Amino acid sequence: MQLVINGLSKTYGNGVKALDNVSLTIPTGMFGLLGPNGAGKSTLMRILATLQEADSGSAMLGTIDVLKDKHEVRKVLGYLPQEFGVYPRVSAYQMLDHIALLKGVINNGDRKAIVEALLQKVNLWEQRKRRIAGFSGGMKQRFGIAQSLIGEPKLIIVDEPTAGLDPGERNRFYNLLTEIGENVVVILSTHIVQDVQELCSNMAIINKGQLLYAGAPNDALHAVKGRIWEKSIAKSELDGYNAAHTVISNKLIAGRPVIHVYSDARPDGFESAEPTLEDVFFSHINGAFRSVAA
Ligand code: ADP
């Protein structure tokens, strides 16, 4: 089973082109969709989750036409949206039980077994009688995973799952995601490079609705190896370096800017830097990679 997206485009009524002819093949396993805010990730996720219409293009999940056979997609879809909106004042157990019923698990015994197993799996068993409205961000996300797993989905879509989680909650969430079967297509949409680095065997980078990279994170790292250079500079020098070099990132370390520059040859005074996925991300986002590679 794989998800094959072909020439998908979407322009909103206000003229914003959120997706511009995106083609992507997504195999089973964890796939990271990386892009800055506004890149078009949620638009793509919502179209794949049958919540929004595309203008043109196609998406096939195995033999299911995702844009046309919405009912078939929903049977095999687990969706964890960016935000659930209003959290109900019912308990985690009641809510999961209700969602399982909606997903067609009619037999009471079956439903009890599924709900109990999921509560254990996402480590919310102790909190099963508490109202979801009072949950922490991490607990809400784990509840979100539990509800998305009802019905043994073949396609799981997780939209910006770690935004707002503290490091401990994020780790627990990562561990949970990695337990989800290898035989399922899991798309993790995020603007956080670390999410993709830690979890994903394949990834894509999008910006302004366009696909900039698709492939394995390791191959992406390899492609920029030997072209990332680093220098610690004074704040007042930043504009000058920006004008003279392709600066792909600028981080403060102990109050001093440390810049990364993309270049085939070592610029004067710079040290070679081992590329990170963040370097890959920024060199694609600001066009450095394409302009140099082209
Ligand atoms: P991301 O999830 O990567 O942050 P989105 O898919 O939410 O990106 O948004 C892509 C672009 O489309 C942005 O410029 C955003 O402002 C715009 N956009 C998103 N939803 C709507 C909408 N309902 N109406 C108009 N513009 C929208």
Side-chain angles (χ1 to χ4, degrees), residues 168-188:
E169 288 176 330
R170 181 173 297 186
N171 272 336
R172 280 193 289 278
F173 190 74
Y174 282 166
N175 287 333
L176 184 58
L177 273 183
T178 50
E179 283 174 22
I180 295 174
E182 280 289 290
N183 299 324
V184 177
V185 176
V186 185
I187 309 177
L188 176 75

Side-chain angles (χ1 to χ4, degrees), residues 2 21 23 29 36 39 52 57 73 83 118 129 165 167 174 180 213 229 242 273 286 289:
Q2 58 181 12
N21 198 20
S23 298
Q52 202 172 323
V73 180
E83 275 184 32
L118 283 173
K129 292 178 184 161
L165 298 191
Y174 282 166
I180 295 174
Y213 176 83
W229 312 93
N242 270 323
N286 80 0
F289 186 79

Side-chain angles (χ1 to χ4, degrees), residues 16-261:
V16 172
K17 199 161 204 174
L19 292 177
D20 186 1
N21 198 20
V22 170
S23 298
L24 253 184
T25 295
I26 303 184
T28 52
M30 205 75 83
F31 186 94
L33 180 70
L34 193 56
N37 286 329
K41 303 181 299 295
S42 292
T43 302
L44 180 56
M45 299 297 95
R46 287 196 302 260
I47 290 171
L48 296 174
T50 75
L51 299 173
Q52 202 172 323
E53 302 283 338
D55 297 335
S56 55
S58 68
M60 298 291 297
L61 177 67
T63 57
I64 303 174
D65 186 329
V66 176
L67 306 187
K68 294 204 178 102
D69 306 333
K70 293 195 173 130
H71 190 66
E72 291 304 308
V73 180
R74 286 172 194 157
K75 280 192 208 161
V76 296
L77 173 73
Y79 179 53
L80 174 53
Q82 212 164 339
E83 275 184 32
F84 283 112
V86 182
Y87 280 87
R89 304 177 72 81
V90 296
S91 73
Y93 190 105
Q94 288 167 321
M95 192 65 199
L96 277 186
D97 187 68
H98 179 67
I99 296 170
L101 193 59
L102 290 180
K103 284 202 177 180
V105 190
I106 294 162
N107 181 281
N108 286 343
D110 289 350
R111 212 165 56 248
K112 183 165 185 280
I114 289 170
V115 169
E116 289 187 359
L118 283 173
L119 285 165
Q120 301 273 10
K121 187 178 177 78
V122 302
N123 208 11
L124 286 175
W125 179 251
E126 300 293 325
Q127 287 84 23
R128 68 190 181 281
K129 292 178 184 161
R130 280 182 54 188
R131 290 188 302 187
I132 304 166
F135 278 5
S136 71
M139 286 159 69
K140 281 177 185 167
Q141 288 302 61
R142 282 183 280 135
F143 176 83
I145 281 287
Q147 63 79 26
S148 78
L149 289 177
I150 294 173
E152 297 183 4
K154 300 271 184 291
L155 170 65
I156 297 179
I157 293 176
V158 190
D159 200 356
E160 298 271 357
T162 63
L165 298 191
D166 69 34
E169 288 176 330
R170 181 173 297 186
N171 272 336
R172 280 193 289 278
F173 190 74
Y174 282 166
N175 287 333
L176 184 58
L177 273 183
T178 50
E179 283 174 22
I180 295 174
E182 280 289 290
N183 299 324
V184 177
V185 176
V186 185
I187 309 177
L188 176 75
S189 138
T190 182
H191 66 274
I192 299 169
V193 176
Q194 189 198 354
D195 289 351
V196 174
Q197 190 157 323
E198 300 212 3
L199 294 170
C200 300
S201 43
N202 283 290
M203 68 168 202
I205 298 175
I206 66 168
N207 193 26
K208 298 179 183 155
Q210 295 187 333
L211 182 70
L212 302 182
Y213 176 83
N218 272 342
D219 293 342
L221 285 170
H222 193 73
V224 298
K225 202 169 167 61
R227 298 198 180 110
I228 308 293
W229 312 93
E230 176 176 283
K231 188 176 185 186
S232 171
I233 60 168
K235 269 185 192 154
S236 58
E237 297 173 312
L238 195 53
D239 286 347
Y241 277 98
N242 270 323
H245 298 278
T246 308
V247 177
I248 54 170
S249 73
N250 157 26
K251 261 190 197 162
L252 286 179
I253 296 181
R256 241 178 110 79
V258 172
I259 56 171
H260 278 195
V261 156

